Amino acid sequence: MGEYDGVKVENIFNTMEKRFISLGALGVDAVIGYKITGDHGGTWKLTISDGTMDLQVVQGALEGCTTEIIADAEAFVGVNVGKFSVADAMAGGRLSIEGDATVIGNILPKIFLPFIEDIAGGEQGEELICLSCVPTIRQRFATGPVMGKWLKGLGEKKFYANRCPKCGRTQTPPREICADCRVRCTEFAQVGPGGTVTLIDKVMFASPDPLTGKVRSTPYAMIFMVLDGCTPGDSFSHELKRSDIDRIQSGMKVRPVWAEERTGGYNDLLYFEIDQ
Amino acid sequence: MGKRNRNVGIIGIGQTEYSSHKEDQNQPEMVNQAVRRGLADAGIGLDQVDCIIHGNMELFEMVHQPDMWHVLGSGAYGKEQLRITTGGTTGATLVCAADNLVASGVYDVVMAIGLEKLQEGNTTGGITNMADPLWFRNLQTGALSGTAASKVIDEFGADRSKRAAMNYRITMDKHACLNPRAHRRLGLEYDQIESLMASSPRLVGELQLIHMCSQSDGACVMIFASEEKAKALSDKPVWIRDHITVHREESYNIYGLEVPETTHHYAAQALFKRNGIPNPLEYFDVFEMYDPSAWWGLDWIREFLLLEDDEHLKLMEEGALKMDGKLPLNPSGGVTASNPIGATAMLRAAEAALQVRGDAGGHQIQKDVKHALASGFGGTMWTVLIMLEKELGWQEVDHG
């Protein structure tokens, strides 16, 4: 089955010239080879040269390509009609890229309109208009007295947990009540500053930092730990020192590293580091 | 659940196809497609619907009052309409709310609409940006987490666990390939277990891209009617037997040296106890589970079915969760295949109901489906669990 919803490999290639955006290709020089296997497969060579394109059907081996895209026919069409992403196709072992992979994400979307099946029998519609803007919204959240005590404590390099008067568990950060027992927790205890690691989440996916708008650099590790003096079920989490990522294991002792200037917030703690 | 005032049947189901993006439809048009299909399936007109409940996660598309815009597609103008937004469980909460509204006697026929167009927003950004502002917003990475993988690997070793998780993912993909509406149908084979483990990009810890759910566009509609109306309007209504919703406080504190009972386990034991079901694995004929990743899905089989030790891994390894297995899991392909978030948890109940009716098409289980289980899951760990029945006359709920 070399097609998806009636769209064949040849439909993608036959419409390339029509979908080509000459302006988007100004200053671009790339030679992209396509090796499509399976039904309706074949080999194509696309040459982009400063605002022009040239597509050739190739008999035999591809030569002189800066990027080669190897895919089965169904996956190739699926990606082009938006049925699934390049990342999905790659993850499934259906599509691979040799040579300069940045062409896929950075160049091709700028020089070709997306393939849209001509279901209405009319002309290709205009491209979606995209407006980009970066809004900045100033928000202020009240901490309440309980979280306020915790945050103030950080400024003094101290961790204040609170304790449930009924079940005895500690809570870090402290919470207004014990949700299990539904009673107020008014007794505070200084805990830590060291702790024992219980779980490590090593993050490779670069997500946006909501407080700066910048993409977080990876890898980083978020660690769960039980601070010294806390009850065993009370886990606390923060970031691990990046140079410790390869060494960290569950059960290890860690200690906090504090910021020079502290303002009573999350960033008063730079990170935790291995303490053994 | 309190005492049921009257029984409620599912009489209509309408779904769009699920896809990574739907640039050919705007949101009301997508809603309209599901509404038309749902009404046609029920064989009724909009004039017979007393109330419409609408659900999506508006922070993902960042459109306020989506229920008002979507009136263009739902036909809700001039009708009673409520909106529900409970994160991942939105679709399941819609089912519970519709059931409660009809069972209570307030309305005879309720239409529930769950939808999402994730392509039009940024899901991970939405989740991260809206996490608890005082502390955890600094730590959150959307719905991505390697904690489930770490937990399973700590207990059963890396090799067995990683194979079971990939086995799970491939089984789900095989099911999705039978479902023409499913978004991701990758055509994975069991002999790819090792190559996928080696090649799929790592997101967090042992959570790889291939394990994770998709981000999909799509809508689902379900129509609910009182017993009297359901019997009059439908040849094969599917009955809602019971459901439970369990919340806990934020979940960041559940990874200590002692781990509390999960909301899934709590929900399952409470629901099955009050319904007199000692062995859910024997009782249910199908389970549509909200599985946000292959790792979570694998781990949660044990929680929901109240299994012990490695029983859940054995079920996976023995093929008991495949289409023709002892308890088919997600014949639809589940959430790793299709995930239009506001509809996702409703799809679990809708797909389970289609199995009970025998109308699932290419992914219909071959054996008779009398008892179905459907679960919903929400972001920082909460649970909705729903039981469906083919026939009325089950053992009454124990309200003790």
Side-chain angles (χ1 to χ4, degrees), chain A residues 4 82-84 87-88 91-92 94 128 139 141-143 147 150-151 154 169 171 173 175 179 198-205 207-208 210-211 216 220 222 224 226 232-233 235-239 265-266 269, chain B residues 18-21 23 124-125 128-129 133-141 144-147 150 154 182-188 192 196 199-205 209-210 249 252-258:
Chain A
Y4 232 117
K83 193 62 200 173
F84 45 76
D88 280 344
R94 310 272 305 267
L128 293 173
Q139 287 185 285
F141 294 94
T143 64
M147 194 65 187
W150 165 264
L151 294 172
L154 296 181
R169 70 167 173 147
Q171 305 194 113
R175 300 184 277 283
T198 54
L199 199 72
I200 302 131
D201 239 4
K202 183 177 168 187
V203 182
M204 274 72 78
F205 177 81
S207 61
L211 302 175
R216 290 168 173 152
Y220 64 93
M222 175 171 157
F224 293 87
V226 175
S235 63
F236 174 67
S237 45
H238 205 277
E239 197 178 327
Y266 178 90
L269 277 163
Chain B
Y18 305 102
S19 185
S20 59
H21 53 300
E23 287 173 351
T124 295
T128 309
N129 282 294
L134 300 182
W135 191 256
F136 294 106
R137 191 172 287 189
N138 297 281
L139 293 164
Q140 182 102 10
T141 49
L144 300 173
S145 167
T147 51
S150 301
D154 281 352
H183 164 187
R184 292 199 297 183
R185 287 173 284 151
L186 301 172
L188 303 178
Q192 287 176 271
L196 289 170
S199 67
S200 181
R202 281 180 161 67
L203 301 175
V204 182
L209 184 60
I210 191 73
E249 59 182 326
Y252 305 97
N253 66 328
I254 62 175
Y255 301 111
L257 295 165
E258 287 172 7

Side-chain angles (χ1 to χ4, degrees), chain B residues 88 91-92 114-115 290-291 334-335 338-349 375:
Chain B
L115 73 133
Y290 193 123
D291 53 344
V335 185
S338 313
N339 185 28
I341 294 182
T344 301
M346 185 190 276
L347 281 182
R348 310 282 64 79
S375 75

Side-chain angles (χ1 to χ4, degrees), chain B residues 239-399:
Chain B
W239 304 104
I240 297 178
R241 175 165 172 178
D242 199 1
H243 49 80
I244 188 169
T245 300
V246 178
H247 285 87
R248 53 167 297 122
E249 59 182 326
E250 290 276 19
S251 64
Y252 305 97
N253 66 328
I254 62 175
Y255 301 111
L257 295 165
E258 287 172 7
V259 177
E261 183 182 26
T262 65
T263 54
H264 293 340
H265 192 271
Y266 181 92
Q269 61 83 20
L271 186 70
F272 300 152
K273 180 163 182 268
R274 75 189 184 197
N275 283 281
I277 296 168
N279 190 341
L281 182 60
E282 295 297 326
Y283 183 78
F284 291 103
D285 302 310
V286 66
F287 180 18
E288 275 283 341
M289 186 213 281
Y290 193 123
D291 53 344
S293 77
W295 282 107
W296 265 332
L298 181 68
D299 188 37
W300 294 351
I301 296 164
R302 182 166 70 173
E303 303 292 309
F304 282 121
L305 299 177
L306 308 179
L307 304 174
E308 288 177 0
D309 303 325
D310 66 345
E311 285 178 317
H312 57 312
L313 295 190
K314 282 184 185 152
L315 289 177
M316 198 69 241
E317 289 158 356
E318 289 161 4
L321 305 169
K322 294 184 189 179
M323 286 294 288
D324 56 353
K326 180 176 176 60
L327 178 60
L329 180 73
N330 295 351
S332 65
V335 185
T336 48
S338 313
N339 185 28
I341 294 182
T344 301
M346 185 190 276
L347 281 182
R348 310 282 64 79
E351 284 288 348
L354 286 173
Q355 291 292 341
V356 172
R357 276 170 37 171
D359 289 341
H363 58 291
Q364 177 67 43
I365 299 165
Q366 290 311 306
K367 69 180 181 188
D368 193 20
V369 179
K370 293 197 177 93
H371 318 290
L373 186 65
S375 75
F377 156 75
T380 50
M381 301 291 172
W382 68 93
T383 306
V384 179
L385 199 54
I386 300 166
M387 289 170 60
L388 304 178
E389 296 284 349
K390 187 172 192 172
E391 308 288 347
L392 290 168
W394 53 79
Q395 182 188 324
E396 266 300 300
V397 170
D398 172 14
H399 301 291

Side-chain angles (χ1 to χ4, degrees), chain A residues 3 8 11-12 15 18 20 41 43 57 106 121 128 137 144 161 181 192 205 217 246 250-251 257 261 273 275:
Chain A
E3 58 185 75
K8 296 189 179 68
N11 299 134
I12 306 295
T15 55
K18 204 170 141 195
F20 183 64
T43 308
V57 176
N106 298 345
L128 293 173
I137 301 161
C181 304
F205 177 81
S217 72
D246 291 334
S250 273
V257 177
E261 281 186 37
E273 64 181 4
D275 182 21

